[in-house]
Amino acid sequence: MAEEPGRSRAERPATRADGPHESSEAEGPRELSDLRVLRALAQPRRQQMLQHLTVHGPATSATLARALGLNTGATSYHLRELARYGFVEETRGSGHGRERWWRAVPGDRRFPPRSRQSPEMRLVMDELNRLSYAADLELFAQLQRERSRGQERPDASSTRITTGTGIDASTGTATGISTGPSPAEWADALPYSRGTIRLTLPELREFFEEYIALLNRYKRSDADTPDGARTVLTRFLAFPTPAASSAPSSDNRKESEPS
């Protein structure tokens, strides 16, 4: 399992002596195995804040408080905790005065396989997965509602890619409203596929790594992102059929249908 944004370093300061900075995105996969870190990540409000930073770009604690219906004291506290474990960091914002802007830290985070998880870690991971899947479904439902009302429109950030359980992805500084394709053109931007394949466990791991490599091919900085690009949320979920299901045929099958 992999997820973005972020690093797996247990603790690190959010700022340096010379002020806000942004992390490098060049690091490879890092495993989150510290139970303290996972518990910090599985807090519902922190999940909401990370999702907002991922989808909408950098924000202040006041912006997050208004968007999520919280008070600034709560958002400031949760931001500090997320920064403590390397999930967010201060960045240079577009505001005035002493406003502190925060962004989600990009990276390839992974979790220990279930066979290596302690009973306590499994409980935390089950809750983290539940929150992440619920957030993904709500985002998709929101998009469907907007499409049905004809309100689908470009967002205010450059293309970003998210992977894994939903906290999803590499983030950058907001660049303003896109001047590219119109909302009507984006109405068809919902590729969808369901497939069934026969794999060994090593092949499934290889399949997953190839998927991550494909996402990485499309990662780019704000400076290299073309006009008209939008934030696209991607999710990967593959699982073996339940043991009680009838055995599938020996032929690989695939069915794909665009929306």
Side-chain angles (χ1 to χ4, degrees), residues 1 30-34 38 110-122 125 205:
M1 181 184 298
R30 305 294 293 272
E31 185 174 274
L32 295 177
S33 57
D34 189 325
L38 295 174
R110 306 197 180 188
F111 303 110
R114 196 167 181 85
S115 60
R116 287 201 287 111
Q117 295 175 14
S118 66
E120 294 84 0
M121 184 178 291
R122 288 181 180 180
M125 287 303 306
R205 291 171 179 151

Side-chain angles (χ1 to χ4, degrees), residues 32-218:
L32 295 177
S33 57
D34 189 325
L35 191 58
R36 297 173 305 162
V37 178
L38 295 174
R39 283 174 173 160
L41 184 62
Q43 210 281 344
R45 289 181 177 177
R46 293 171 195 166
Q47 285 282 290
Q48 290 179 310
M49 293 166 65
L50 279 171
Q51 176 178 285
H52 190 280
L53 292 173
T54 297
V55 174
H56 300 288
T60 65
S61 62
T63 302
L64 290 168
R66 287 192 297 270
L68 302 176
L70 305 173
N71 62 66
T72 55
T75 54
S76 294
Y77 167 73
H78 289 305
L79 283 169
R80 289 194 301 271
E81 287 298 294
L82 289 169
R84 177 185 179 193
Y85 294 107
F87 296 111
V88 303
E89 65 185 4
E90 281 193 70
T91 187
R92 294 176 179 83
S94 56
H96 303 284
R98 302 182 62 182
E99 287 183 322
R100 299 177 69 181
W101 285 74
W102 299 87
R103 75 164 193 153
V105 178
D108 184 354
R109 283 199 192 87
R110 306 197 180 188
F111 303 110
R114 196 167 181 85
S115 60
R116 287 201 287 111
Q117 295 175 14
S118 66
E120 294 84 0
M121 184 178 291
R122 288 181 180 180
L123 289 175
V124 175
M125 287 303 306
D126 287 346
E127 176 64 7
L128 180 58
N129 287 332
R130 185 190 69 79
L131 292 171
S132 299
Y133 296 146
D136 288 343
L137 289 174
E138 175 54 33
L139 278 174
F140 185 75
Q142 179 182 339
L143 175 64
Q144 293 290 75
R145 291 192 295 269
E146 291 179 354
R147 285 157 60 94
S148 66
R149 295 194 302 263
Q151 295 178 348
E152 204 252 352
R153 60 188 181 275
D155 59 20
S157 54
S158 58
T159 295
R160 292 186 283 275
I161 297 175
T162 65
T163 66
T165 61
I167 303 176
D168 303 64
S170 56
T171 62
T173 302
T175 57
I177 297 298
S178 167
T179 58
S182 67
E185 292 178 270
W186 279 96
D188 294 330
L190 194 64
Y192 172 77
S193 174
R194 298 178 67 205
T196 303
I197 52 179
R198 304 292 302 281
L199 298 173
T200 64
L201 187 55
E203 287 174 331
L204 178 58
R205 291 171 179 151
E206 183 179 358
F207 187 95
F208 174 76
E209 293 299 338
E210 290 180 2
Y211 166 78
I212 296 297
L214 177 62
L215 290 183
N216 287 334
R217 279 176 47 195
Y218 287 88

Side-chain angles (χ1 to χ4, degrees), residues 241-247:
T241 55
S245 298
S246 58

Side-chain angles (χ1 to χ4, degrees), residues 11-30:
E11 298 185 20
R12 65 181 176 83
T15 59
R16 296 182 302 190
D18 55 350
H21 72 290
E22 296 187 359
S23 309
S24 168
E25 300 181 26
E27 295 187 6
R30 305 294 293 272

